[in-house]
Amino acid sequence: MTNGLLQADKNLLQKPDLFTLLSLLVGYRHHLRVVGKSMLPFILEGDLLIYKKINSKKYDLKVGDLVIASHPKLKSHLIIKRIYKIDQKKFDLRGDNPLSSTDSREWGLINFNLIVGKVVKIFRD
Amino acid sequence: MLSDSLTSILRKLPAKSVHAHCDGPCGVYDPASARVAAEAVLSMTKKLIALSPAGNDQASMSAYNNTFSRFVAIKEEESQKTKKELLILWTDYFKPEHLSTYPDLHDTFWKAAKLCSACKVSIDQSKAEELITAVEKIHSMFWSSKGRDDKWVTAS
């Protein structure tokens, strides 16, 4: 599983492309800049995340995916975490850097309606 | 060439922040961590009080001593964890301006931290219950400082 995750992660790290830029401009994809270190070593502070919004009727989330979610206590805050477990429509979200991450270990399972999107690309300067 | 241009555009693209949260600089605090640890302290204290050897033979005493040691170790660890979580709230979250709304803030935290120590040095259920009460008071202060009224819910 670890190898699979690493390969999946590698696929996310890409060089900027015209299609993504157009996707952002027309609202087909969305972007966020990372603040914080809970996703080290894979995601660095300052990385630009490209994500697609989740369709509640048809979604393809699985263990290992990187997702954007609303913070369960501070709804206006968006957080980036990895899906650690899925129990029906509830998600155990964890940071890759457990020593510096506040996540489902404290909050418990996160409801599906708090999941905003799935990371599809990562751009790094 | 195109890649460089795109990189330059994306670098300048205004972007909202997504938080890779950690305790501290991200500004995300929650007294729930202290509450869970304090509940564990009370639970282990009750278990220690209720614990007795199954018999006087060597095997029973070994089993008793082993379990007793484990319970004490967990109580010690959870007491320290409670203290650490409370200190984070006290020193990082609460600011001088909160003192006007909660004039007993320092006293509350100081006494709560003292209770953590008391729970370590003795097997005293009343102290462990006092600690829970103190953490509940801090829970109320914390959420009211955020303009919220989150219900106090315990796990046990």
Side-chain angles (χ1 to χ4, degrees):
Chain A
M1 179 176 159
T2 308
N3 289 336
L5 280 180
L6 288 173
Q7 187 54 50
D9 286 349
K10 278 179 191 168
N11 293 341
L12 290 175
L13 267 176
Q14 296 186 17
K15 287 194 181 299
D17 59 280
L18 197 54
F19 173 75
T20 303
L21 186 59
L22 292 173
S23 301
L24 293 176
L25 293 174
V26 300
Y28 177 62
R29 292 286 185 263
H30 308 271
H31 66 290
L32 293 163
R33 185 82 64 185
V34 176
V35 177
K37 297 175 180 173
S38 78
M39 296 305 289
L40 288 174
F42 179 54
I43 296 180
L44 310 183
E45 189 152 17
D47 279 357
L48 192 72
L49 306 181
I50 310 298
Y51 71 97
K52 65 175 180 180
K53 287 194 173 174
I54 295 297
N55 180 337
S56 61
K57 289 178 183 168
K58 187 185 175 187
Y59 62 93
D60 59 345
L61 297 174
K62 60 184 185 305
V63 170
D65 282 347
L66 292 164
V67 291
I68 309 295
S70 292
H71 190 285
K73 298 282 183 185
L74 305 161
K75 296 291 189 293
S76 60
H77 261 59
L78 291 177
I79 54 172
I80 165 74
K81 298 288 169 199
R82 193 184 293 279
I83 298 177
Y84 186 75
K85 281 182 190 165
I86 304 175
D87 183 7
Q88 294 177 342
K89 278 188 121 180
K90 295 192 173 193
F91 296 80
D92 184 332
L93 301 184
R94 305 279 180 99
D96 286 354
N97 180 8
L99 290 177
S100 188
S101 175
T102 307
D103 49 36
S104 282
R105 291 171 298 166
E106 285 190 33
W107 305 322
L109 296 177
I110 305 294
N111 282 323
F112 174 77
N113 60 6
L114 290 179
I115 308 288
V116 174
K118 175 179 168 177
V119 176
V120 291
K121 285 182 185 177
I122 300 170
F123 295 144
R124 186 165 295 161
D125 284 347
Chain B
M1 175 69 183
L2 177 63
S3 177
D4 289 346
S5 304
L6 289 172
T7 302
S8 177
I9 292 169
L10 285 169
R11 194 176 290 157
K12 290 172 185 165
L13 203 62
K16 286 185 184 174
S17 298
V18 63
H19 298 267
H21 282 291
C22 54
D23 181 27
C26 61
V28 178
Y29 301 96
D30 193 330
S33 316
R35 191 257 304 157
V36 171
E39 280 192 71
V41 173
L42 177 58
S43 172
M44 296 322 295
T45 303
K46 286 178 179 173
K47 282 175 186 280
L48 280 162
I49 291 168
L51 191 66
S52 59
N56 290 325
D57 56 291
Q58 182 64 39
S60 298
M61 290 311 294
S62 295
Y64 170 78
N65 286 332
N66 183 60
T67 306
F68 189 91
S69 305
R70 290 186 63 226
F71 286 4
V72 168
I74 296 168
K75 179 171 71 69
E76 183 87 5
E77 186 182 322
E78 295 296 330
S79 298
Q80 187 59 32
K81 198 186 290 181
T82 310
K83 188 188 272 185
K84 180 192 161 203
E85 295 295 338
L86 291 176
L87 293 181
I88 288 170
L89 291 174
W90 188 10
T91 57
D92 293 352
Y93 170 73
F94 282 102
K95 304 284 183 291
E97 52 266 36
H98 287 122
L99 280 169
S100 56
T101 317
Y102 313 106
D104 61 341
L105 186 142
H106 288 327
D107 196 52
T108 302
F109 272 100
W110 180 62
K111 283 178 178 165
K114 286 278 184 194
L115 280 168
C116 294
S117 301
C119 288
K120 281 204 269 188
V121 299
S122 62
I123 303 173
D124 187 337
Q125 188 172 331
S126 65
K127 292 290 180 197
E129 286 168 346
E130 279 181 51
L131 177 60
I132 294 284
T133 305
V135 173
E136 183 177 2
K137 183 179 179 186
I138 288 165
H139 161 98
S140 302
M141 289 164 83
F142 176 85
W143 288 116
S144 78
S145 77
K146 286 178 163 285
R148 288 170 47 167
D149 184 26
D150 282 38
K151 198 177 168 189
W152 168 259
V153 180
T154 56
S156 50

